[in-house]
Amino acid sequence: MASEMMEALMALCQEKHIDELYLIDQLEQSLAKSYAEVMHLQDGARVTIDRETGKVYVYKLVPKEESWDDETGLYTDFDEVDVTPKDTSRTAYTHAKSVINDIVRNAGGQQIYEEFSKRIGDIITGTVLQTTPDFAIIKIREGVEAELPYFDQRRYPDELNERPAGERYSHHQQIRAIIIDVRDPNSNQQPVRGERQRPSIVVSRTHPDLIRRMFELEVPEVYDGVVEIRSIAREAGVRSKVAVSSLDDRLDPVGACVGPKGSRVRAVVSELRGERVDVVLWSDDPAKCVANALSPARVSRVLVDDEGNYATVIVPDDQLSLAIGKEGQNARLAARLTGMHIDIKNESLARKVMSEMPEDVDVVAEEGEHRCEYTGPTGIQCRNMARPGSRFCGIHEKLAQYADSTVSDDPDSLI
């Protein structure tokens, strides 16, 4: 029977990838404590397990008088007396079950930590095993589970909420998430609420890098590094903006991410449960970058204050609400995407803005079409489009050269 126990232990070690010597050593230490209590051994006991036969030997520890240490008040050396009872193996079998379960659980947790702590930031695909009011358990593979927390942070401010607004999960549902943390089982830090019953791997569905990883899966150019995702701004579950650039001048990075008839970006949107994703072109020119970030709104001009990291954006009157977005969402995401403070004004206030700007502010005109900036005495702005590289249309550009020229106040007469 003893040899059968050793065979079972060795098989368990191979299956769970546990060091055999470590398992036997931990089992000997645990048995020593148990036999010391059962046999009332005042100075403790030492237990050894024969590595081949599995037979258990119990030794009583008898302290040596000359090994007394006055500083510690303890004996440092002991004689060992064999007090092995006849039923040691049966007792060992009964006790080993709980000990081995603890060792296997701890060893498994350590292995998971060593593997997945190196994969923080990676995307995983898992199956929902269980949902609770505070988190969902995601099965990554057999024996490996992750936690997707969505605690009410008003009640638990120290916990996480990594679920986009409006998402709900059902049993056996497959979802993608990104690994954001792996708890160390040997950490001395205070465990979070219920951590001992929760998986050590923590995943997120709200992290901006989830979009980055999903574009890497759907867009070969992003995976290969030809198209680079420069910045991501996200309001999970509602809307995101992704700024991209290309290392190849012949490749359109926005078109590569959108895909034929929008197939690639639709795959990302589908996985994000309908979250709107805007792909815009990144530019090293702050003015162009801000103008692109405010897409789909058209921008007439961008005034950049590099020192204050501040940008004043001028848009046509009919584009003001689109540039700001519902409850300021478009402007807010654009500010996060570019890292600049953005102030949006319509063209009717353009002249006032220009007059209030300091002289040392760098004024950069955004390339592209915009309306003629001529405003008549009645305050009505010309409806014509300005000529390329000019502030005025063809008529007012010529008339502006003559200070004494008379200009019609009726904008319709110029069309």
Side-chain angles (χ1 to χ4, degrees):
M1 185 178 292
S3 60
E4 293 177 359
M5 183 187 76
M6 292 304 298
E7 291 177 1
L9 286 177
M10 297 305 104
L12 180 64
C13 291
Q14 292 180 359
E15 179 184 352
K16 300 296 183 180
H17 304 286
I18 302 173
D19 182 77
E20 300 172 1
L21 297 179
Y22 171 78
L23 177 61
I24 294 177
D25 181 66
Q26 293 296 312
L27 187 56
E28 288 175 341
Q29 294 181 26
S30 179
L31 286 171
K33 294 180 181 178
S34 298
Y35 276 112
E37 295 178 0
V38 172
M39 301 178 69
H40 306 288
L41 304 178
Q42 183 177 358
D43 297 305
R46 187 174 76 87
V47 173
T48 60
I49 301 175
D50 191 296
R51 268 52 171 177
E52 295 182 359
T53 64
K55 184 173 176 55
V56 178
Y57 298 91
V58 181
Y59 299 92
K60 176 183 178 181
L61 298 181
V62 180
K64 296 180 180 180
E65 294 296 335
E66 62 274 13
S67 66
W68 174 260
D69 190 338
D70 292 331
E71 293 183 0
T72 61
L74 299 172
Y75 289 100
T76 58
D77 195 10
F78 299 85
D79 288 323
E80 296 181 357
V81 179
D82 189 349
V83 292
T84 304
K86 295 181 179 180
D87 59 346
T88 52
S89 296
R90 185 175 299 277
T91 304
Y93 300 151
T94 305
H95 184 78
K97 183 177 180 180
S98 61
V99 174
I100 292 173
N101 287 339
D102 291 340
I103 294 173
V104 169
R105 183 170 56 252
N106 295 336
Q110 186 63 31
Q111 288 176 357
I112 291 174
Y113 174 77
E114 291 176 358
E115 176 184 354
F116 285 89
S117 60
K118 301 174 184 177
R119 294 182 56 188
I120 292 178
D122 287 356
I123 192 171
I124 60 100
T125 301
T127 304
V128 178
L129 289 183
Q130 179 185 359
T131 59
T132 73
D134 297 323
F135 57 87
I137 304 299
I138 312 297
K139 178 183 177 181
I140 299 177
R141 66 169 188 255
E142 193 64 36
V144 180
E145 299 173 353
E147 170 195 313
L148 177 60
Y150 39 83
F151 285 85
D152 184 349
Q153 295 187 302
R154 293 172 297 181
R155 298 175 57 195
Y156 308 108
D158 297 331
E159 292 285 358
L160 299 174
N161 182 2
E162 302 297 331
R163 180 181 66 179
E167 280 197 3
R168 297 294 182 269
Y169 311 116
S170 57
H171 192 53
H172 286 315
Q173 177 184 351
Q174 280 200 339
I175 62 173
R176 285 176 176 171
I178 188 171
I179 300 174
I180 59 172
D181 188 26
V182 183
R183 304 187 186 103
D184 186 354
N186 297 324
S187 175
N188 293 326
Q189 295 181 354
Q190 186 72 18
V192 298
R193 193 176 76 93
E195 180 180 346
R196 301 186 191 281
Q197 290 76 38
R198 290 156 57 182
S200 59
I201 303 173
V202 183
V203 297
S204 171
R205 290 268 300 171
T206 63
H207 200 284
D209 278 346
L210 176 62
I211 294 182
R212 185 188 304 274
R213 301 305 179 199
M214 293 186 64
F215 270 106
E216 290 177 356
L217 294 176
E218 300 294 339
V219 184
E221 293 84 353
V222 175
Y223 181 81
D224 294 335
V226 179
V227 173
E228 183 180 0
I229 297 178
R230 303 293 295 272
S231 180
I232 299 174
R234 186 181 184 200
E235 291 189 359
V238 184
R239 188 177 181 182
S240 299
K241 284 182 178 287
V242 182
V244 296
S245 64
S246 175
L247 299 180
D248 187 347
D249 296 336
R250 298 169 297 177
L251 177 64
D252 175 17
V254 176
C257 291
V258 172
K261 298 182 179 180
S263 59
R264 293 175 175 176
V265 74
R266 274 204 309 270
V268 176
V269 171
S270 176
E271 180 59 38
L272 297 177
R273 310 287 183 83
E275 179 178 323
R276 181 177 175 182
V277 178
D278 297 337
V279 183
V280 300
L281 183 64
W282 175 269
S283 175
D284 292 329
D285 183 346
K288 293 181 180 179
C289 192
V290 169
N292 293 340
L294 287 170
S295 174
R298 289 186 289 106
V299 174
S300 299
R301 177 166 296 183
V302 181
L303 315 174
V304 180
D305 181 1
D306 292 329
E307 294 182 359
N309 201 33
Y310 189 97
T312 299
V313 179
I314 302 171
V315 299
D317 291 355
D318 60 351
Q319 295 288 304
L320 181 61
S321 60
L322 184 61
I324 295 174
K326 183 179 180 181
E327 299 179 352
Q329 184 186 75
N330 193 55
R332 187 165 58 249
L333 287 173
R336 294 179 189 172
L337 194 72
T338 60
M340 300 186 69
H341 177 80
I342 298 177
D343 184 21
I344 303 175
K345 297 183 182 297
N346 56 359
E347 286 184 344
S348 63
L349 299 176
R351 296 183 183 279
K352 182 179 180 181
V353 172
M354 292 293 294
S355 64
E356 293 177 352
M357 294 294 290
E359 296 181 358
D360 58 346
V361 170
D362 180 20
V363 179
V364 183
E366 170 63 12
E367 295 182 357
E369 295 183 346
H370 59 87
R371 291 175 62 184
C372 173
E373 294 185 10
Y374 176 79
T375 303
T378 60
I380 301 177
Q381 184 179 357
C382 174
R383 295 183 182 179
N384 291 336
M385 300 303 296
R387 299 184 64 183
S390 173
R391 297 169 53 198
F392 303 101
C393 65
I395 296 175
H396 290 130
E397 184 178 38
K398 294 179 180 179
L399 294 177
Q401 300 175 3
Y402 304 98
D404 298 332
S405 298
T406 303
V407 181
S408 171
D409 294 336
D410 184 6
D412 291 332
S413 65
L414 304 177
I415 301 177

